[in-house]
């Protein structure tokens, strides 16, 4: 730790991000002084957000916007509302966005914002007021060429519409490019909803071509049948794989002959859980963790963090893991799986579909034209497949002694460092 302890240096999430940065720096042979530059955000803004509650009382909240690095382009990253938000977590998340955007090959740096609030305790009107006040407080820091926020935990296209409106009022013109994942009526894309799951399926498809000779007939299990898991399952099935198991927090269902994803999705919507899908020989169990150990070719963890651990990794039978969730595999499990020659496509590569689609939305907003869904998906597919194959090749060529995740971090950090050098920053 440096001589002065800042707002964020004692935060454990921040410390984890710095540990990963140091690992990548050591593989790349970067000097400590570069790590010292990269571990701090370029700018961290803290704001006070005051609203009038429905009962007439004043309520005050604290929020942040962390702008980690802009060597590759304007800062980009979501804004979350959470009672546990801290400056440290916000800085760490902004650093991860720098690496994710660098790895995705899009012209963005990394940023992240948060407000420490329990949104469930506020009415819709109070959330609107909070959103408008927060965005007005950071209006001088953001902009279509400066910093482009998007949704994250407990923020959504409606929140983006309020941010867009508030910012446009302040600058005096409709600034479409200031946020992404807007409602389609305001320049957003319908396909934004499917884009993360689509990307998770797409990298699994590309990996299957490289290590299994193709996707056709390969079996798949999806842990977490939410937004990401549902669309990952849907596209993998559409492209010829057999999705044999899916789960949610209530349990999992398994049919070695394959599940009808559309039907499962209808049952989940109607009854609240996939375990109520009772067709043919489908087996259901309340222990969703068992799904991770099923005899399948491809595993998609798309629920929560730390589900694949040193304890269960030896029993994982999949040959490819495409990480839809953030941080589903612990570092110890990652090492064990690498030793077993399982290809683990890391979260920062596999779940970048959302931010790549954001870039597609933003670049077309800036040109004043709106894309069709088909054009947008074709663009996403082309960019992410090229990107996956580039990272896979570089991993095999230069970093094959390490899990793909470590290689991905090294490639991402290297790109940022090269840009900083070219710009004369270091
Ligand atoms: P979601 O809430 O739509 O779905 C989450 C799924 O996980 C649900 O099926 C839920 O039942 C299941 N789940 C929740 N808690 C669980 C538990 N304790 N045990 C087992 N299953 C559990 O969320 P989502 O948007 O699909 O996001 C899933 C993951 O993907 C998260 O880690 C998120 O950070 C990550 N992610 C999402 C996006 C996106 O665009 N939605 C982008 C990048 C990363």
């Amino acid at each position: 730790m440096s001589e002065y302890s800042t707002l964020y240096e004692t935060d454990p999430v921040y410390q984890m991000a710095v540990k990963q940065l140091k690992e990548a720096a050591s593989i790349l042979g970067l000097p400590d002084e570069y790590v010292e530059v990269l571990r701090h955000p370029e700018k961290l803004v803290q704001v006070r957000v005051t609203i009038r509650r429905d009962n007439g009382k004043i309520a005050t909240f604290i929020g942040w916007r962390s702008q980690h690095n802009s060597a590759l382009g304007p800062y980009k990253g979501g804004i979350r509302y959470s009672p546990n938000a801290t400056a440290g977590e916000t800085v760490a998340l902004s650093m991860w966005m720098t690496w994710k955007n660098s790895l995705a090959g899009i012209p963005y740096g990394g940023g992240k914002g948060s407000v420490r609030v329990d949104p469930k305790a506020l009415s819709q009107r109070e959330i609107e007021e909070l959103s408008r006040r927060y965005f007005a407080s950071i209006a001088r820091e953001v902009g279509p060429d400066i910093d482009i926020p998007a949704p994250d935990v407990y923020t959504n296209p409606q929140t983006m519409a309020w941010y867009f409106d508030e910012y446009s009022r302040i600058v005096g013109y409709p600034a479409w490019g200031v946020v992404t994942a807007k409602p389609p009526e305001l320049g957003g894309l319908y396909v934004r909803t499917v884009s993360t799951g689509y990307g998770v399926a797409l990298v699994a498809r590309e990996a299957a071509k490289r290590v299994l000779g193709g996707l056709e007939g390969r079996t798949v299990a999806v842990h977490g049948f939410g937004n990401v898991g549902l669309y990952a399952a849907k596209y993998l099935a559409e492209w010829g794989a057999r999705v044999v198991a899916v789960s949610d927090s209530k349990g999992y269902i398994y049919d070695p002959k394959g599940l009808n994803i559309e039907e499962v999705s209808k049952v989940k919507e109607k009854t609240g859980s996939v375990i109520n899908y009772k067709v043919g020989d489908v087996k259901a169990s309340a222990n969703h963790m068992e799904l991770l150990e099923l005899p399948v070719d491809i595993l998609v963890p798309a629920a929560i963090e730390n589900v694949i651990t040193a304890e269960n990794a030896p029993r994982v039978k999949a040959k490819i893991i495409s990480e839809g969730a953030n941080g589903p595999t612990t570092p110890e499990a990652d090492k064990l799986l690498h030793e077993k020659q399982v290809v683990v496509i890391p979260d920062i590569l596999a779940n970048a579909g959302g931010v790549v689609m954001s870039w597609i939305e933003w670049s077309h907003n800036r040109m004043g034209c709106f894309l069709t869904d088909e054009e947008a998906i074709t663009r996403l597919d082309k960019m992410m497949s090229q990107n996956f194959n580039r990272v896979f090749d570089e991993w095999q060529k230069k970093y094959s002694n390490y899990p793909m995740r470590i290689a991905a971090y090294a490639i991402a950090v290297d790109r940022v460092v090269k840009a900083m050098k070219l710009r004369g920053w270091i």
Side-chain angles (χ1 to χ4, degrees):
M1 194 157 296
S2 67
E3 193 182 349
Y4 302 105
S5 174
T6 64
L7 258 183
Y8 49 88
E9 282 174 297
T10 52
D11 188 287
V13 185
Y14 171 76
Q15 287 171 358
M16 196 162 80
V18 173
K19 192 168 164 241
Q20 283 172 335
L21 165 65
K22 284 185 175 163
E23 228 167 32
S26 119
I27 291 167
L28 293 166
L30 300 180
D32 288 350
E33 58 186 18
Y34 286 13
V35 174
E36 198 53 24
V37 173
L38 286 165
R39 79 183 185 89
H40 295 290
E42 287 170 10
K43 198 183 233 187
L44 172 64
V45 183
Q46 179 173 302
V47 292
R48 187 207 66 208
V49 186
T50 299
I51 66 163
R52 178 81 60 183
R53 299 289 308 261
D54 292 343
N55 62 10
K57 292 210 174 348
I58 291 169
T60 299
F61 304 94
I62 299 295
W64 296 274
R65 182 73 188 169
S66 170
Q67 300 179 327
H68 176 255
N69 191 288
S70 59
L72 290 169
Y75 311 101
K76 177 99 191 86
I79 291 170
R80 64 171 55 181
Y81 294 165
S82 156
N84 306 317
T86 62
E89 181 195 64
T90 312
V91 172
L93 292 167
S94 70
M95 193 191 300
W96 280 319
M97 285 310 297
T98 300
W99 313 140
K100 189 186 254 193
N101 294 338
S102 161
L103 196 64
I106 47 181
Y108 286 142
K112 199 85 180 188
S114 62
V115 180
R116 189 186 293 161
V117 57
D118 178 6
K120 287 186 191 151
L122 299 186
S123 70
Q124 183 77 347
R125 190 207 60 79
E126 289 169 338
I127 292 180
E128 176 174 352
E129 191 175 333
L130 175 93
S131 301
R132 289 184 181 276
R133 290 286 159 92
Y134 168 73
F135 215 67
S137 307
I138 61 165
R140 274 195 220 107
E141 316 299 336
V142 297
D145 285 316
I146 303 167
D147 185 351
I148 308 125
D152 197 69
V153 178
Y154 283 112
T155 53
N156 53 38
Q158 174 61 75
T159 326
M160 297 307 112
W162 292 325
Y163 290 166
F164 160 72
D165 183 65
E166 195 64 26
Y167 184 80
S168 298
R169 260 200 247 201
I170 290 168
V171 296
Y173 66 94
W176 308 108
V178 71
V179 285
T180 57
K182 297 177 292 294
E185 295 78 3
L186 296 175
L189 293 162
Y190 283 104
V191 283
R192 177 65 169 73
T193 318
V194 308
S195 53
T196 302
Y198 187 98
V200 171
L202 180 161
V203 294
R205 180 191 77 198
E206 293 304 302
K209 285 187 203 157
R210 306 291 293 252
V211 298
L212 299 174
L215 188 64
E216 191 65 38
R218 301 293 171 190
T219 51
V220 180
V222 178
H223 187 249
F225 198 63
N227 172 265
V228 178
L230 159 64
Y231 290 109
K234 174 179 151 35
Y235 287 107
L236 283 166
E238 250 178 59
W239 299 333
R242 188 151 40 98
V243 181
V244 296
V246 300
S247 73
D248 55 36
S249 55
K250 306 227 170 65
Y252 78 98
I253 51 171
Y254 177 45
D255 184 351
K257 294 203 286 293
L259 299 163
N260 182 330
I261 295 305
E262 211 159 294
E263 292 304 314
V264 177
S265 162
K266 279 186 199 154
V267 170
K268 163 111 185 159
E269 208 167 294
K270 219 155 107 194
T271 68
S273 174
V274 296
I275 58 169
N276 299 314
Y277 179 78
K278 294 186 174 98
V279 175
D281 300 330
V282 175
K283 177 192 157 201
S285 161
N287 185 1
H288 61 79
M289 291 298 283
E290 281 172 14
L291 174 140
L292 303 165
E293 301 171 22
L294 289 173
V296 291
D297 299 306
I298 299 167
L299 176 62
V300 177
I304 47 165
E305 62 283 351
N306 297 334
V307 291
I308 306 174
T309 62
E311 195 277 316
N312 61 7
R315 298 191 299 276
V316 167
K317 296 172 192 73
K319 294 168 205 79
I320 294 169
I321 298 179
S322 181
E323 292 188 340
N326 285 318
T329 314
T330 66
E332 300 76 32
D334 211 20
K335 251 181 231 152
L336 291 173
L337 292 166
H338 179 65
E339 281 159 22
K340 282 183 20 167
Q341 298 188 327
V342 179
V343 174
V344 183
I345 311 163
D347 47 10
I348 57 164
L349 181 60
N351 70 26
V355 74
V356 173
M357 192 56 94
S358 271
W359 170 71
I360 294 170
E361 175 184 333
W362 174 82
S363 53
H364 285 80
N365 284 166
R366 313 236 36 223
M367 289 191 285
C369 55
F370 296 162
L371 280 180
T372 65
D373 287 351
E374 209 181 348
E375 286 167 330
I377 279 282
T378 307
R379 195 77 206 268
L380 174 74
D381 196 302
K382 195 164 164 215
M383 277 196 67
M384 275 192 83
S385 340
Q386 268 176 359
N387 198 39
F388 169 83
N389 285 298
R390 244 187 358 234
V391 173
F392 191 92
D393 287 340
E394 212 167 321
W395 171 44
Q396 296 286 293
K397 209 163 77 194
K398 287 210 227 147
Y399 308 106
S400 62
N401 289 339
Y402 300 97
M404 195 175 183
R405 183 182 327 274
I406 310 268
Y409 268 92
I411 295 165
V413 172
D414 188 46
R415 280 186 189 156
V416 174
V417 166
K418 281 193 176 129
M420 289 172 76
K421 273 192 185 156
L422 283 165
R423 294 179 69 161
W425 293 3
I426 50 177

